[in-house]
Amino acid sequence: MMQICDSYSQKHTLFHAMNRFIGAVNNMDQTVMVPSLLRDVPLMLEELDAGGGGEGDPQLSPGDASAFFSRRDMSSHFLLLKSIRNDIEWGVLQQGAAEEAGRKKDKLSGDISRGLPEAGQEEEDLEQQFHYHLSGLHTVLSKLTRKANVLTNRYKQEIGFSTWGH
Amino acid sequence: LSPAEARKSQSRLTKAMEEYFSAIRKMEHVVMFPSLLRGVYMEQQNDVATDDFGNRDLYEYYLQLKSIKLAMEGRLVPLNESKHQIITSREEAQENGEEADLEQLLYYHFTGLYRVLSHLTRKANALTRKYNEIIGQIN
């Protein structure tokens, strides 16, 4: 398993976040020697607030009782987190990934129903949000890269003109 | 993974980021006198590349592209107070059209991805802890 190299993670906050995530999933993967023990165990969202670690904690509303139960058991979470890590490492970005995410979501939540629709919705959106932002960022970055290259070439033209003008 | 294989499997996102940073470094290296870009405008041609430029002069775009790189490196702290950020008002955003969208889209996706990754990281850690609890109860 590869991690994005350390010199990047020090400089770029998004790399840092990706590295942290990959590290957390690798740690989880190495710890969970018997995944079947996770089957049918519910992951209560309140456990996320108990010292999940450090900076930039997203806003979960602990007062909302319906947020306490997840629609999926821990076994599905385990698989989902691993597949997202693989997506980051192997770069599955395009439309196919979004569809695949939809299929995965249906397969995993098919036999599991906790009867509390709202909480489940938010976290199932998480994987789709991930793919959405990942591919969106990729597209915008490509355009900005092109913009920078065009600007650089234009500058060279400018320099060329003013040299010849003298 | 051998180093060569690791390099190949590097995700497309990190490649895209690397390419952007590399383009900006090259731009900074070439543009030795940025002020020469003042009052220089991009002529709109029929190719896609010039569509990314709106009504401002190239000096402003030069600053914008640099500040985006700094923001992505986490070195530009209050993003919405950055004086190099070209979007200052809704009216300007409408005037500048697609070019305005590009910068807003970047910050939107960048912070969105950061937020999602943080959430997922906490989830992975919670799951690991919970598993250890289960194991502890069995023993």
Side-chain angles (χ1 to χ4, degrees):
Chain A
M1 315 227 183
M2 61 155 278
Q3 278 199 343
I4 298 157
C5 83
D6 280 345
S7 61
Y8 281 120
S9 72
Q10 278 152 22
K11 282 195 274 185
H12 313 308
T13 52
L14 191 59
F15 282 130
H16 185 59
M18 286 167 86
N19 242 347
R20 253 185 331 175
F21 170 70
I22 292 173
V25 174
N26 286 346
N27 180 45
M28 178 190 78
D29 202 6
Q30 285 160 14
T31 302
V32 178
M33 308 285 287
V34 189
S36 58
L37 285 177
L38 296 171
R39 211 159 285 150
D40 296 328
V41 178
L43 179 68
M44 298 204 288
L45 294 181
E46 65 176 353
E47 291 168 306
L48 290 181
D49 289 335
E55 336 95 55
D57 282 3
Q59 325 76 338
L60 283 174
S61 43
D64 184 14
S66 66
F68 282 121
F69 290 92
S70 153
R71 276 181 65 189
R72 292 193 179 127
D73 69 1
M74 286 192 32
S75 183
S76 332
H77 282 299
F78 178 74
L79 292 171
L80 175 62
L81 288 166
K82 278 178 63 168
S83 86
I84 292 178
R85 178 204 59 191
N86 292 343
D87 284 349
I88 293 179
E89 289 191 320
W90 298 96
V92 180
L93 282 180
Q94 298 309 324
Q95 190 58 31
E99 287 163 11
E100 198 190 315
R103 274 197 306 265
K104 265 187 228 173
K105 177 189 85 172
D106 291 338
K107 195 167 64 162
L108 292 175
S109 62
D111 34 282
I112 295 151
S113 175
R114 299 280 169 194
L116 289 165
E118 281 151 14
Q121 194 57 50
E122 182 185 328
E123 71 189 58
E124 277 164 8
D125 281 345
L126 215 56
E127 188 186 4
Q128 292 189 324
Q129 278 183 49
F130 168 74
H131 286 293
Y132 168 65
H133 286 300
L134 194 63
S135 70
L137 192 59
H138 185 269
T139 303
V140 173
L141 276 173
S142 302
K143 286 191 179 174
L144 287 172
T145 301
R146 187 179 61 199
K147 196 171 182 177
N149 290 334
V150 169
L151 190 149
T152 304
N153 288 336
R154 187 69 175 84
Y155 178 87
K156 283 180 183 169
Q157 283 177 22
E158 277 301 297
I159 291 294
F161 284 143
S162 57
T163 307
W164 294 339
H166 288 14
Chain B
L1 283 181
S2 73
E5 286 165 330
R7 208 113 192 104
K8 263 176 35 180
S9 72
Q10 191 180 28
S11 79
R12 288 181 59 191
L13 177 65
T14 58
K15 269 211 183 96
M17 289 178 82
E18 213 182 311
E19 276 172 15
Y20 181 70
F21 293 136
S22 165
I24 298 303
R25 277 195 300 270
K26 183 180 164 198
M27 181 184 81
E28 287 172 319
H29 180 72
V30 167
V31 179
M32 301 194 67
F33 303 104
S35 53
L36 284 179
L37 290 170
R38 284 193 206 266
V40 177
Y41 297 86
M42 190 63 67
E43 302 96 23
Q44 293 300 327
Q45 291 147 23
N46 280 335
D47 63 69
V48 176
T50 55
D51 283 349
D52 296 329
F53 294 86
N55 301 324
R56 301 185 181 259
D57 68 17
L58 292 190
Y59 182 68
E60 301 249 23
Y61 293 120
Y62 173 82
L63 294 177
Q64 178 203 33
L65 290 164
K66 272 184 65 163
S67 75
I68 286 173
K69 173 181 175 260
L70 291 175
M72 289 177 69
E73 290 174 332
R75 292 203 263 149
L76 201 61
V77 176
L79 289 183
N80 38 359
E81 286 173 22
S82 164
K83 59 183 192 263
H84 300 317
Q85 195 172 26
I86 286 194
I87 309 312
T88 49
S89 70
R90 185 178 281 272
E91 296 79 50
E92 283 193 21
Q94 278 163 1
E95 248 173 51
N96 290 321
E98 173 175 340
E99 161 225 346
D101 290 340
L102 213 54
E103 186 172 8
Q104 285 188 326
L105 268 179
L106 178 91
Y107 291 126
Y108 169 66
H109 285 301
F110 188 80
T111 54
L113 191 60
Y114 188 87
R115 190 175 28 89
V116 170
L117 281 173
S118 300
H119 195 140
L120 290 173
T121 302
R122 282 176 39 183
K123 222 169 183 176
N125 291 334
L127 192 149
T128 306
R129 252 193 334 272
K130 183 71 180 197
Y131 179 85
N132 282 328
E133 276 173 32
I134 295 171
I135 293 292
Q137 283 160 14
I138 291 174
N139 288 343

